Amino acid sequence: MKKIIILFSIILFVGCNSRKEQKVEITPKGNFYKQSEMAALMLLMYETNAQNKQLILDGKQPKEFPEEFLKIHTAQLTDSTDRTLEFKTFSDFYLRNMKEVFEPSKESLINKHNTAINSCITCHQTTCVGPIPKIKKLLIQ
Ligand code: HEC
């Protein structure tokens, strides 16, 4: 249980900003971290891309574009005012680049992967700078 709490406090610091603090509730059972749908989706995107990175380093093509990723257009955000026209543009840009990673083509997989990760970062620079150092670790050098 202690481990879980430690993990959650790390997530808290990696999250966007102090808004996150409102998401923690102390209950008789201990700390609970209430995650927005978008934060949960982001963590899934992070995990998938960490796996993609490993696959690509092993010379393998990631298999199937996860359809859940399309939920970026609808998932509830911690701060609903983040969903602007700009956010939609960045989402489309990111999804387009992400899909490319799963499509066979002549272009190098490493380039396609890094382009997708850079489009995560592009959006984060405008909405949520906290996780950028973590996202940069997904880049293949
Ligand atoms: C269109 C904008 C946008 C794109 C593209 C985007 N993000 Fe995010 N990301 C956000 C926003 C906004 C949040 C805050 C979500 C919330 O709290 O509701 C977030 C949160 C996160 C978090 C923190 C989750 C937490 O623990 O609270 C991580 C990690 C993350 N994103 C990784 C990624 C990765 C990896 C990608 C690309 C595969 C990506 N993001 C693409 C906007 C974006």
Side-chain angles (χ1 to χ4, degrees), residues 53-82:
K53 177 178 177 179
Q54 195 51 52
L55 282 171
I56 293 167
L57 287 172
D58 292 344
K60 293 178 190 146
Q61 163 106 36
K63 285 260 162 0
E64 220 177 304
F65 172 78
E67 293 294 320
E68 300 101 286
F69 283 15
L70 300 176
K71 289 188 187 150
I72 196 168
H73 287 309
T74 51
Q76 161 255 322
L77 285 145
T78 301
D79 179 352
S80 58
T81 61
D82 279 345

Side-chain angles (χ1 to χ4, degrees), residues 6-131:
I6 292 166
L7 182 76
F8 283 174
S9 24
I10 293 168
I11 291 171
L12 203 79
F13 287 116
V14 174
C16 298
N17 50 43
S18 52
R19 282 182 316 204
K20 288 273 166 196
E21 277 161 40
Q22 300 159 1
K23 293 272 129 184
V24 175
E25 279 179 4
I26 313 287
T27 72
K29 281 185 184 161
N31 279 315
F32 269 87
Y33 172 67
K34 269 200 173 172
Q35 203 176 42
S36 71
E37 278 173 25
M38 188 62 91
L41 174 65
M42 290 289 162
L43 294 176
L44 175 73
M45 283 159 36
Y46 185 88
E47 279 314 311
T48 306
N49 278 289
Q51 286 166 15
N52 281 0
K53 177 178 177 179
Q54 195 51 52
L55 282 171
I56 293 167
L57 287 172
D58 292 344
K60 293 178 190 146
Q61 163 106 36
K63 285 260 162 0
E64 220 177 304
F65 172 78
E67 293 294 320
E68 300 101 286
F69 283 15
L70 300 176
K71 289 188 187 150
I72 196 168
H73 287 309
T74 51
Q76 161 255 322
L77 285 145
T78 301
D79 179 352
S80 58
T81 61
D82 279 345
R83 196 175 284 291
T84 56
L85 196 59
E86 199 185 30
F87 189 89
K88 186 181 183 318
T89 308
F90 284 131
S91 301
D92 286 333
F93 176 67
Y94 148 75
L95 285 173
R96 201 166 50 237
N97 289 328
M98 196 70 241
K99 281 180 180 160
E100 285 294 318
V101 175
F102 297 87
E103 295 293 328
S105 77
K106 285 209 186 92
E107 204 193 323
S108 116
L109 259 178
I110 294 181
N111 283 349
K112 290 197 289 187
H113 173 79
N114 284 344
T115 303
I117 301 305
N118 280 321
S119 52
C120 305
I121 297 170
T122 307
C123 180
H124 272 258
Q125 277 162 345
T126 63
T127 50
C128 172
V129 291

